[in-house]
Amino acid sequence: MSISRKLKTQAAMALTSRRLQTSRRYVHEVRRRLAGRPHVVRYFHDISDPYSFLTVQVLQQFQGRYGISLQPYLISGPPQDMMPAPDEYRRNAVRDVVRVAGRLGLVPPTLSNPDPETIKKAEKKLAAGLGTDEFASIAQAVTQAVWTGGLLPLGPETDPMPAKTAGDQALASVGHYQGGCFAYGGEIYWGLDRLHYLEARLQDLGLGKAPAPIVPDITPQPVTAKGQEIEFFFSFRSPYSYLAFDRVRDLARKSQADLIFKPVLPMLMRGLPVPPAKSSYILHDCTREARRLGIPFGCISDPLGAGVERGYALLGHAEKRGCLAEYCSAFLSTVWSRGIDAATDAGLAKITEAAGLNWSEAKSELGSTEWRNRVEANQNRLHEIGLWGVPSFRVNGQNIWGQDRLWVISDVLNTDQRAKKKAP
């Protein structure tokens, strides 16, 4: 491994260490107390964002439970370079929000694309409510009307542009890019899926009396789905793919479903942008998700470029030996938790041997280019079904996106299985 890669690995270990997180939180709280400031939680709202619509439904409950000082912002929406496939993102986001709302007993959106003129008028109402104690209730009523086609509530209005400019600047300053997220003490908590992390932090500070999170964890429940297929799109360079890989394998095994592996190139190698703010958030988010799931993470050797290509060159060899899943799992775990450099022979030898392969046999396949056709076909399939990022899944004609949506796979498998039993 080169000196440059070693330094990057050490930097990743430092950035993902619990010690650094603890130190930063301690410093923040000391400064807050010395300055006599209350616990201020920033909340960023994008009324055109379906996840903001979902999140705002628990905003009053969150504010009341912890007695925090809520500082709301109105934002314009993510910059274009943060969303390489905005149309596909929106379609999948609305579908995802409907699923989550159904599971949590929240109001689902009934519109896929709210009226632009209604959004403009709604933003005026939200801008007028920013400086009031009733923002949470105003935001919920206004946003719900936008996403369900209802009538906007009566109330004052003001020009939203100054508020949106200030909100966009504040969001950029905390290092994020999407609505529906919270910021506290140097950390970002995006949407309902990560609210429990913020709740745990506030409870550690002695705030709040209810130990159960507002949004409970949804655990995937294996069902008997023999013969059904799960298409699994992943990338060796995606830490979220790493977090999902062995878990979806276990889910498929317990459900007796057929798991079809579909590796694709990383977004950067497909010409899709991944700005620094996005990369930074992903690293932070994967760190806390890995800890929660008990998955080793943080000693990283980024396989971008040669590491990915060499790794993919051995896919066919691993498949012929009957250990494709083991090989992919070994590759992901070694580069994301053991800092193994897949761009070197020594590193790739450790990966193949961890998968039960013979390195002497495997290395002769490194010059193979057959993997390119396989990966290209998978990318075409991904585009065909309206997806772009990983990890993604296709189950019974439905798209599922994200390592934290394995419960949706279970739900879809279960629904299809029940439908088959009812069929005459």
Side-chain angles (χ1 to χ4, degrees):
M1 181 185 290
S2 67
I3 294 178
S4 174
R5 282 188 175 273
K6 286 182 179 178
L7 291 174
K8 288 180 179 178
T9 297
Q10 290 174 358
M13 291 176 66
L15 289 171
T16 58
S17 70
R18 191 181 291 275
R19 177 179 294 182
L20 179 61
Q21 180 193 65
T22 301
S23 297
R24 284 176 170 174
R25 290 183 174 184
Y26 175 78
V27 169
H28 169 77
E29 292 305 321
V30 168
R31 288 177 175 173
R32 182 193 62 77
R33 289 195 297 269
L34 290 175
R37 294 193 303 266
H39 295 276
V40 178
V41 174
R42 296 179 174 186
Y43 171 68
F44 299 88
H45 194 69
D46 173 8
I47 200 164
S48 65
D49 168 41
Y51 289 107
S52 289
F53 165 58
L54 203 61
T55 304
V56 79
Q57 294 184 51
V58 304
L59 197 57
Q60 290 184 78
Q61 183 182 356
F62 170 71
Q63 187 176 8
R65 172 181 284 195
Y66 297 101
I68 49 92
S69 177
L70 186 71
Q71 185 173 349
Y73 293 89
L74 188 61
I75 65 168
S76 303
Q80 188 173 0
D81 61 347
M82 294 293 183
M83 297 294 165
D87 293 338
E88 290 84 352
Y89 170 83
R90 188 173 189 82
R91 282 193 294 270
N92 282 281
V94 171
R95 188 181 300 115
D96 184 47
V97 166
V98 169
R99 288 167 174 158
V100 175
R103 267 305 199 109
L104 298 179
L106 299 175
V107 177
T110 56
L111 301 176
S112 298
N113 292 290
D115 176 56
E117 291 304 316
T118 303
I119 289 176
K120 290 179 181 179
K121 190 171 182 63
E123 286 181 335
K124 293 178 181 180
K125 293 182 179 295
L126 289 185
L130 280 175
T132 70
D133 293 335
E134 292 78 33
F135 174 81
S137 61
I138 294 171
Q140 181 174 352
V142 170
T143 308
Q144 184 168 319
V146 168
W147 280 94
T148 61
L151 294 176
L152 290 173
L154 299 175
E157 299 179 3
T158 191
D159 180 10
M161 290 310 298
K164 289 170 69 175
T165 299
D168 293 343
Q169 292 173 348
L171 184 60
S173 72
V174 301
H176 205 61
Y177 46 92
Q178 285 183 276
C181 75
F182 301 87
Y184 180 78
E187 295 178 24
I188 299 293
Y189 307 86
W190 180 54
L192 292 188
D193 291 302
R194 302 298 184 265
L195 183 59
H196 65 93
Y197 287 118
L198 176 55
E199 288 193 78
R201 183 174 177 182
L202 295 176
Q203 288 172 10
D204 286 344
L205 294 172
L207 304 177
K209 298 180 180 179
I214 292 172
V215 181
D217 183 40
I218 306 176
T219 304
Q221 299 298 322
V223 297
T224 302
K226 190 172 184 179
Q228 296 191 57
E229 290 187 351
I230 303 171
E231 291 181 77
F232 176 25
F233 300 88
F234 63 94
S235 156
F236 278 176
R237 206 247 173 176
S238 162
Y240 286 127
S241 292
Y242 164 52
L243 296 184
F245 199 89
D246 286 345
R247 292 160 57 223
V248 75
R249 282 179 65 198
D250 185 60
L251 176 62
R253 178 181 59 79
K254 291 178 179 177
S255 300
Q256 300 179 49
D258 296 325
L259 188 59
I260 313 301
F261 298 108
K262 302 220 165 185
V264 300
L265 285 175
M267 289 176 63
L268 281 175
M269 295 175 70
R270 284 184 274 146
L272 299 175
V274 184
K278 194 170 188 176
S279 296
S280 177
Y281 176 75
I282 289 173
L283 180 65
H284 171 72
D285 189 51
C286 283
T287 299
R288 61 191 175 193
E289 283 286 274
R291 284 180 187 151
R292 180 178 66 85
L293 295 166
I295 299 174
F297 181 80
C299 184
I300 300 167
S301 181
D302 188 350
L304 182 66
V308 170
E309 292 182 342
R310 286 161 56 85
Y312 283 178
L314 300 185
L315 289 171
H317 177 75
E319 190 167 42
K320 290 175 184 176
R321 298 298 186 275
C323 55
L324 178 61
E326 291 77 9
Y327 170 67
C328 292
S329 177
F331 189 103
L332 287 163
S333 63
T334 51
V335 301
W336 291 107
S337 70
R338 292 175 53 199
I340 300 298
D341 186 359
T344 66
D345 281 359
L348 202 53
K350 291 179 180 179
I351 293 171
T352 55
E353 289 166 2
L357 293 167
N358 183 292
W359 169 241
S360 297
E361 295 178 357
K363 66 180 179 181
S364 63
E365 301 292 329
L366 286 175
S368 171
T369 59
E370 292 182 5
W371 66 269
R372 295 187 183 277
N373 293 330
R374 176 184 197 151
V375 167
E376 183 178 4
N378 294 340
Q379 289 164 187
N380 290 338
R381 172 63 174 163
L382 190 67
H383 178 73
E384 172 194 332
I385 63 177
L387 292 169
W388 71 100
V390 295
S392 294
F393 312 89
R394 180 77 167 180
V395 184
N396 295 325
Q398 296 195 43
N399 292 345
I400 303 164
W401 175 36
Q403 63 85 23
D404 48 8
R405 291 295 183 265
L406 301 192
W407 61 268
V408 179
I409 296 177
S410 281
D411 284 0
V412 173
L413 289 174
N414 194 31
T415 299
D416 189 74
Q417 201 67 16
R418 289 199 303 266
K420 287 181 178 178
K421 289 181 179 179
K422 290 181 180 179

